[in-house]
């Protein structure tokens, strides 16, 4: 039996510019959960326990919010983005 590890694209990114470009691509994807899932991978890179605590969420709630199976509330995503240092810019 072969053991596999969950793939995280952030493990292979070397600069903030790469992370920003990836998150932008995920945000622009047709499927809204693509961006949420990407935030989940980024949270895992930073440590889910620490991110959850800083966002005022339980670890379990954070996992549920970013698992791609539910549509989390904007409030949760906003808190997660603030903790991860992700900012959205609106342009016309």
């Amino acid at each position: 039996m072969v053991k596999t590890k969950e793939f995280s694209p952030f493990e292979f990114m070397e600069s903030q510019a790469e992370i920003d470009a990836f998150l932008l691509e995920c945000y622009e994807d047709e499927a809204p959960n693509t961006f949420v899932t990407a935030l989940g991978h980024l949270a895992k890179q930073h440590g889910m326990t620490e991110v959850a605590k800083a966002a005022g969420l339980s670890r379990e709630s954070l996992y549920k919010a970013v698992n791609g199976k539910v549509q989390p509330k904007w409030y949760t995503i906003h808190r997660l983005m603030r903790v991860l240092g992700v900012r959205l810019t609106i342009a016309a």
Side-chain angles (χ1 to χ4, degrees):
M1 183 159 128
V2 177
K3 279 192 167 188
T4 60
K5 180 182 170 189
E6 183 177 331
F7 173 76
S8 173
F10 296 104
E11 290 180 25
F12 304 98
M13 295 182 191
E14 297 178 3
S15 69
Q16 188 63 45
E18 287 178 308
I19 292 170
D20 295 345
F22 179 75
L23 287 173
L24 179 59
E25 284 183 44
C26 292
Y27 181 77
E28 291 176 342
D29 191 90
E30 299 264 337
N33 279 343
T34 302
F35 180 68
V36 173
T37 301
L39 287 178
H41 285 297
L42 187 57
K44 288 176 186 175
Q45 281 297 114
H46 288 268
M48 290 295 269
T49 302
E50 293 81 12
V51 170
K53 184 177 179 181
L57 302 168
S58 71
R59 191 169 171 262
E60 295 77 21
S61 294
L62 180 55
Y63 270 108
K64 286 179 186 177
V66 298
N67 69 8
K69 297 177 184 175
V70 298
Q71 292 183 339
K73 293 182 179 182
W74 171 248
Y75 180 73
T76 302
I77 296 305
H78 184 258
R79 290 167 70 182
L80 178 58
M81 288 172 43
R82 290 191 85 183
V83 168
L84 295 174
V86 174
R87 293 181 40 211
L88 291 179
T89 302
I90 298 173

